[in-house]
Amino acid sequence: SSLDCDIRDEIPNDIQGFCQQHPTMERIILSNGGTGCKLFNKHFREWWKSGQLILPRSSHNNNNSHNNNNNNNNHNQSLKYFSSVAKLSKQSRTKTTASTTTSTTTRKIECICALSVSPTAAQYSYKQKRDFWDEHVYKPGLLSKERIDKERSQEQQSRCFTTTQKQNLERERIKTTPKQQQQQQKRISIHI
């Protein structure tokens, strides 16, 4: 059956490996509610400890937000299922920082426990679900894609410009002045 209580001996997909192969990944959306989040935490506990996984960014600013109730409601599930494992990350980083002198910057991946779109998640209206997905999945995804496309375009332009610069420098190195060309021609005619 498809009931959560019937899940036995689950085998997780290699989500961490997938994210390593796709370095532009910024968000993991768990869309099937609490059971999926619990299983994610169970299988990726060490990944949480690494500090690469983080709570949704907008949940960090709830106290400062002037739309506090809306933000807080939107991330209640993420906070409920991920707060305890996110603390493991902070504890792990504190121990690591105390024992090492250098720090490396790792990219952060937000973990979001999305409102389930299933009709069984009846405590949320269709509008609440739609608004959640729009605000925390679709819009951030589109903004990320635009930013990544812009960065890639700039990088490509930079590579092209650098290649053009190198070609121009080589041409300049090869070029000689008219006086130098005359001297070279004289040397050639003397030797003939």
Side-chain angles (χ1 to χ4, degrees), residues 14-23 25 47 52 107 109:
D14 185 11
I15 300 169
Q16 187 173 8
F18 181 84
C19 289
Q20 288 171 343
Q21 291 175 355
H22 298 86
M25 291 288 296
W47 195 12
Q52 187 176 16
R107 73 186 166 112
I109 300 174

Side-chain angles (χ1 to χ4, degrees), residues 59-143:
S59 71
H60 299 299
N61 300 323
N62 283 341
N63 295 334
N64 301 331
S65 173
H66 101 117
N67 198 7
N68 192 9
N69 283 338
N70 190 34
N71 279 339
N72 199 21
N73 288 337
N74 283 339
H75 285 299
N76 276 344
Q77 288 205 176
S78 294
L79 296 172
K80 176 181 177 181
Y81 292 107
F82 298 140
S83 287
S84 61
V85 287
K87 287 178 187 173
L88 294 174
S89 166
K90 290 177 184 173
Q91 293 168 355
S92 175
R93 280 183 286 165
T94 303
K95 289 178 185 176
T96 304
T97 305
S99 64
T100 59
T101 54
T102 59
S103 65
T104 58
T105 305
T106 58
R107 73 186 166 112
K108 304 295 183 193
I109 300 174
E110 288 181 277
C111 286
I112 298 173
C113 181
L115 298 182
S116 177
V117 294
S118 165
T120 60
Q123 70 266 30
Y124 299 104
S125 70
Y126 168 79
K127 183 180 179 335
Q128 287 173 305
K129 294 174 187 180
R130 185 196 64 209
D131 290 350
F132 178 93
W133 280 82
D134 188 50
E135 182 180 345
H136 299 288
V137 181
Y138 303 129
K139 284 180 183 174
L142 290 172
L143 289 172

